[in-house]
């Protein structure tokens, strides 16, 4: 009994105890906490590099770490991003698409801009009826010819025809020949006096042309002897038809209006 050390000495410094500075606790070099490089927490040097998009390129090497289609060596696409991570968009050389939007209209040449040096020309641009293919559909817009018999449509809209009066002794029918073909626009005109008829959509930058069939004889609006055409406003005309019997140009009088309505 007299050989036991006092309690206080055992608790303070005995290397074989379970307390204090014993190697199995505290700041032992072999513990599983703190900054030990072998532990499973903190900033362990053994963390595996990430390839977030699974394209075979680590995130710190991939300029688009979340896009599997873009990485060093990828094929440049017409998408407005640097797909191959060379620091540049495609310039149209060496088989690469030309992604450089030179005129700043939001559409690059590879996306269909047929004149990438003119910001007013791109797919879907408004038609200006100036002889230029503004919307890149492969066709230059027509321009007015100046012919007084020409009804040139300058804006999108629907065609509305209103029969104002009829003074003919036989049936008269009106047809559209251009820009679309409609065999019978309003029906027999005597029954349509005072009625506005929605004929349908017509295209801008085109010349509109009608034919009347009066007493089985056809007359074109291109013929000044058959039609007197008075422009009332852009896309709006008054037409007076003569069937050749009395030259009073009142056999049928009607208006043609192209406009967009809500």
């Amino acid at each position: 009994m007299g050989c036991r050390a006092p309690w206080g000495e055992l608790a303070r410094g005995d290397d074989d105890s379970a307390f204090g500075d014993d190697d199995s606790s505290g700041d032992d070099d072999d513990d599983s906490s703190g900054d030990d490089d072998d532990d499973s927490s903190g900033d362990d040097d053994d963390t595996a590099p990430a390839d977030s998009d699974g394209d075979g390129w680590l995130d710190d090497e991939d300029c688009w770490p979340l896009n599997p289609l873009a990485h060093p060596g990828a094929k440049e696409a017409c998408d407005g991003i640097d797909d191959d991570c060379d620091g540049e968009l495609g310039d149209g050389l060496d088989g690469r698409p030309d992604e450089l939007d030179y005129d700043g209209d939001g559409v690059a040449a590879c996306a269909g801009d047929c004149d990438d040096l003119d910001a007013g020309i791109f797919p879907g641009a408004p038609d200006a009826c100036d002889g230029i293919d503004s919307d890149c559909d492969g066709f230059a817009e027509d321009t007015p010819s100046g012919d007084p018999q020409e009804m040139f449509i300058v804006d999108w809209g629907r065609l509305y025809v209103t029969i104002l009066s009829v003074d003919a002794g036989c049936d008269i029918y009106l047809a559209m020949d251009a820009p679309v073909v409609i065999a019978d626009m309003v029906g027999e005109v005597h029954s349509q006096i005072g009625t506005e008829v929605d004929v349908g959509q017509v295209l801008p930058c085109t010349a509109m042309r009608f034919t009347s069939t009066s007493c089985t004889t056809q007359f074109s609006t291109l013929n000044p002897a058959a039609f007197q055409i008075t422009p009332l406003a852009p896309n709006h005309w008054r037409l007076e038809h003569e069937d050749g019997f009395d030259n009073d140009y009142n056999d049928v009088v009607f208006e043609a209006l192209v406009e967009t309505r809500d």
Side-chain angles (χ1 to χ4, degrees), residues 173-178 180 182-186 209-213:
Y173 293 88
L174 300 174
M176 178 185 286
D177 302 323
V180 295
I182 300 177
D184 184 3
M185 292 197 300
V186 302
R209 188 173 72 251
F210 301 145
T211 294
S212 71
T213 300

Side-chain angles (χ1 to χ4, degrees), residues 20-21 32 47 62 98 112 120 152 177 205 211 213 238:
D21 294 332
S32 59
T47 300
D62 193 339
D98 190 350
F152 193 84
D177 302 323
C205 304
T211 294
T213 300
R238 176 185 174 94

Side-chain angles (χ1 to χ4, degrees), residues 214-228:
S214 178
C215 302
T216 71
T217 301
Q218 292 187 336
F219 302 88
S220 171
T221 53
L222 295 178
N223 181 2
F227 280 93
Q228 290 182 345

Side-chain angles (χ1 to χ4, degrees), residues 56-69:
W57 289 87
L58 300 180
D59 288 358
D60 59 359
E61 301 173 322
D62 193 339
C63 61
W64 295 95
L66 299 180
N67 184 348
L69 300 180

